[in-house]
Amino acid sequence: MSNNSLSEKPEWAALQAHGQELESSSISALFKADPKRFEHFHRQACGLVYDYSKQRVTSKTIEKLCALAHACDLEGWREKMISGRAINTSENRPVLHMALRGSLGEGLEIDGENVSHFVQENLALIRKFSEEVRADEKLTDVIVVGIGGSDLGPRLVYEALEPCPEAPRLHFLSTMDGAPLDRVLRTVAPENALVILSSKSFGTDETLTHAHILKDWLAKPERLYAVTGNIQAALDFGVPAAHILPMRSWIGGRFSLWSAIGLPIAIGCGFDRFSALLEGARTMDSHFMSTPLAENIPVLAGLIGIWNRNVLGYNALAVLPYMDALRNLPAYLQQMDMESNGKSVDREGRPVSYATGPIVFGETGTNAQHAFMQLLHQGTEIIPSDFIIVAQAPHDLQEHHTKLLCNALAQSQALMEGQQNEAEPHRAFPGNRPSSTIVLPRLDAFSLGALMALYEHKIFVQGALWGINSFDQWGVELGKVIARDLYREFSEKPDDAHDGSTAALLKLLKSFD
Ligand code: F6P
């Protein structure tokens, strides 16, 4: 049976019926009924703890979810991915980011090239380039230009791990806004700078618009580097051949920080920590590939997401890292999740009859508490949350860290337990709002790698069950094409506006000149 008939499977019907049974249940009551609920509903692997005891699930729920996963051939899809089958069907590409951290076999060949050899050579290049850059004492600033998957991963890791004091400063330029570039141009001396153009396609407008300005600004053109799958375009742009680190089509943009796209991490945090990041991800890969479904953290996280989305009907997910260093995690996961699973047709192009990817948003704790947590506690929407906490403080301010952790735990408890208040309804908390808690022992490269790989696999699991292609992103194209046309119109013949509000706004904007 093909995957796209998810909602026709008997396991789906059984899951929905089970959802009805649990309709009147509360998470707090489940805790009362089972004093060992935490022990039964948490898993530990790769140094991480995944606590799902505050989700509205029972062991029967997990059994039924695993049965559904099995019926959707989750294990088969995982096997297809790791054996290099073209599971990105609309682009006819394999999906092999796991190979970048050495998790796949030595013998895998794609387009006549041995994948493992490519990865080894690429790693050697990352090491060589990063060490050369770090050894150059005149180099004080590295400007990294890229967007989406060519930006969010390296930016998250660089800011999460303490950069090495001896490394050059990194500046990330992404959005089509001249202001961050303007700041760099005003504060960095071109003779002390190096520019890395990170773009798998080497055709992304934001990246190229920055790149043209930076190429002219750089005192030494040999300080121009590129990480790309489109070598010819980088050469045509003027990047010296010896400064191009290649990517392959089997590396998806939002899964690419493990590739040469991670070069800025190796420069800013050191190659050893880049290696430790890969090792953490590799350990999670091995857990994902070999652990039975009901014990498998990414599988459980994915299935619980399906339960919340498709049975309980919750349409969003709040990502709440309780550590300022992880402030870019929500943005990173937003792209990874929403670009992957924000789809409404299955792999065969047929409309799906069930909800797919949730709206992902987030903020660091405790800032979130003073912003949108009001709605999570008392709003009409129920929004499941992922709390991400780190056991050890990365500094000596222990009081801060203990309070930070207590706040995270307090929030998940309050969301779950709620509080009655008949006299003052505006002060009542309905409770029964689910959350998971992921605990990292410390914020080091290994744990971060494991955490990021956990989410990658979670998203894969969900896409496999929904029967969608999690690895393309056609939804971003239409706006790009219209923007290009409008830009031409705006710069060439602004007065020749057509009907419609876009044209009228264009004309209005021009009138402010
Ligand atoms: O936003 C669409 C997208 O294609 C992402 O998937 C990708 O990460 C980003 O643009 C950047 O693409 P590139 O690396 O080709 O510049």
Side-chain angles (χ1 to χ4, degrees):
M1 188 183 253
S2 84
N3 242 358
N4 44 54
S5 52
L6 171 68
S7 55
E8 286 155 30
K9 290 182 192 300
E11 291 81 2
W12 170 269
L15 191 69
Q16 300 295 341
H18 172 64
Q20 305 274 314
E21 280 164 29
L22 281 192
E23 203 160 44
S24 56
S25 73
S26 80
I27 311 165
S28 297
L30 295 173
F31 264 99
K32 282 201 190 91
D34 176 7
K36 292 206 164 156
R37 184 169 166 84
F38 175 77
E39 271 115 281
H40 296 146
F41 292 88
H42 86 274
R43 297 286 176 267
Q44 208 160 345
C46 319
L48 309 189
V49 176
Y50 176 61
D51 166 23
Y52 56 105
S53 60
K54 294 195 186 80
Q55 293 287 346
R56 223 169 114 196
V57 294
T58 63
S59 20
K60 200 166 158 192
T61 319
I62 302 300
E63 264 169 43
K64 292 195 175 299
L65 283 165
C66 289
L68 181 66
H70 198 60
C72 291
D73 195 23
L74 173 62
E75 288 111 319
W77 282 101
R78 185 177 59 188
E79 190 48 42
K80 283 189 184 111
M81 174 166 68
I82 63 190
S83 61
R85 298 270 298 275
I87 62 167
N88 176 353
T89 43
S90 70
E91 297 176 297
N92 194 27
R93 290 177 184 163
V95 173
L96 292 173
H97 45 277
M98 277 201 279
L100 296 167
R101 45 238 194 186
S103 293
L104 304 184
E106 298 274 306
L108 189 60
E109 290 215 350
I110 303 292
D111 300 332
E113 179 180 54
N114 182 290
V115 169
S116 160
H117 292 171
F118 171 80
V119 170
Q120 288 311 319
E121 280 170 21
N122 219 241
L123 266 180
L125 279 180
I126 298 170
R127 167 171 236 151
K128 175 175 169 291
F129 281 125
S130 62
E131 289 177 353
E132 276 172 15
V133 169
R134 285 160 61 94
D136 184 343
E137 283 173 10
K138 288 199 208 93
L139 207 62
T140 55
D141 296 84
V142 172
I143 301 155
V144 186
V145 189
I147 195 163
S150 297
D151 166 60
L152 292 162
R155 191 192 284 258
L156 161 63
V157 176
Y158 176 68
E159 291 186 16
L161 306 178
E162 195 78 5
C164 300
E166 74 281 7
R169 273 183 303 273
L170 261 56
H171 309 263
F172 290 91
L173 296 178
S174 55
T175 176
M176 184 71 88
D177 179 342
L181 173 59
D182 185 53
R183 199 173 312 123
V184 165
L185 299 181
R186 279 187 288 106
T187 55
V188 176
E191 59 277 14
N192 299 330
L194 179 143
V195 172
I196 302 175
L197 305 175
S198 298
S199 177
K200 183 180 166 187
S201 61
F202 218 85
T204 303
D205 201 16
E206 290 90 334
T207 303
L208 293 180
T209 305
H210 294 318
H212 281 290
I213 305 275
L214 286 164
K215 189 170 94 166
D216 292 343
W217 169 82
L218 264 186
K220 301 177 183 170
E222 66 271 22
R223 287 270 172 86
L224 201 54
Y225 285 67
V227 180
T228 186
N230 189 347
I231 312 283
Q232 192 54 51
L235 289 170
D236 293 347
F237 182 81
V239 183
H243 288 186
I244 301 177
L245 289 88
M247 293 174 78
R248 291 292 183 255
S249 63
W250 42 262
I251 306 169
R254 53 194 172 275
F255 304 96
S256 66
L257 93 145
W258 323 99
S259 71
I261 289 291
L263 176 65
I265 303 170
I267 294 174
C269 306
F271 184 79
D272 288 350
R273 282 199 284 172
F274 183 63
S275 300
L277 185 83
L278 299 184
E279 197 190 333
R282 184 163 60 243
T283 312
M284 184 56 77
D285 292 342
S286 140
H287 168 80
F288 173 60
M289 289 191 287
S290 60
T291 311
L293 301 188
E295 308 294 322
N296 192 312
I297 293 178
V299 172
L300 284 167
L303 295 180
I304 288 169
I306 295 228
W307 169 252
N308 283 336
R309 187 83 180 100
N310 298 113
V311 182
L312 302 181
Y314 307 148
N315 67 3
L317 172 70
V319 176
L320 305 167
Y322 271 66
M323 184 159 268
D324 191 55
L326 290 174
R327 62 190 164 276
N328 289 318
L329 185 67
Y332 175 74
L333 292 181
Q334 238 165 12
Q335 188 209 16
M336 196 204 280
D337 200 327
M338 294 169 83
E339 202 166 82
S340 298
N341 286 342
K343 312 283 165 67
S344 52
V345 294
D346 67 18
R347 287 187 207 93
E348 281 78 39
R350 291 174 296 215
V352 293
S353 57
Y354 38 81
T356 61
I359 300 159
V360 178
F361 69 101
E363 175 56 274
T364 52
T366 61
N367 287 351
Q369 294 171 206
H370 297 272
F372 56 72
M373 292 299 287
Q374 161 67 37
L375 187 147
L376 270 62
H377 286 288
Q378 290 189 315
T380 49
E381 294 293 324
I382 295 187
I383 300 183
S385 310
D386 278 1
F387 288 89
I388 294 122
I389 60 178
V390 181
Q392 284 177 15
H395 48 68
D396 294 333
L397 301 170
Q398 193 52 51
E399 183 190 346
H400 276 77
H401 195 66
T402 308
K403 284 185 176 175
L404 187 66
L405 294 180
C406 289
N407 268 280
L409 300 180
Q411 289 297 317
S412 61
Q413 187 177 327
L415 285 165
M416 174 183 78
E417 289 180 348
Q419 194 172 62
Q420 288 186 345
N421 194 332
E422 276 164 29
E424 294 177 293
H426 57 279
R427 300 183 75 158
F429 293 76
N432 212 19
R433 299 182 173 215
S435 68
S436 297
T437 302
I438 299 173
V439 185
L440 274 61
R442 66 198 73 77
L443 189 57
D444 58 9
F446 180 93
S447 302
L448 190 56
L451 177 75
M452 293 164 92
L454 187 170
Y455 275 103
E456 284 181 350
H457 297 319
K458 172 200 157 173
I459 286 159
F460 168 82
V461 167
Q462 297 188 329
L465 265 73
W466 284 324
I468 56 178
N469 179 358
S470 300
F471 301 102
D472 60 8
Q473 57 285 320
W474 295 104
V476 304
E477 292 304 320
L478 178 60
K480 284 188 199 172
V481 174
I482 297 176
R484 212 175 300 140
D485 289 349
L486 287 176
Y487 177 70
R488 202 175 310 122
E489 209 168 305
F490 193 69
S491 23
E492 287 168 15
K493 35 181 185 162
D495 298 328
D496 188 17
H498 310 292
D499 291 342
S501 69
T502 306
L505 276 171
L506 255 188
K507 211 167 178 180
L508 182 75
L509 286 169
K510 196 71 193 164
S511 74
F512 287 104
D513 273 357

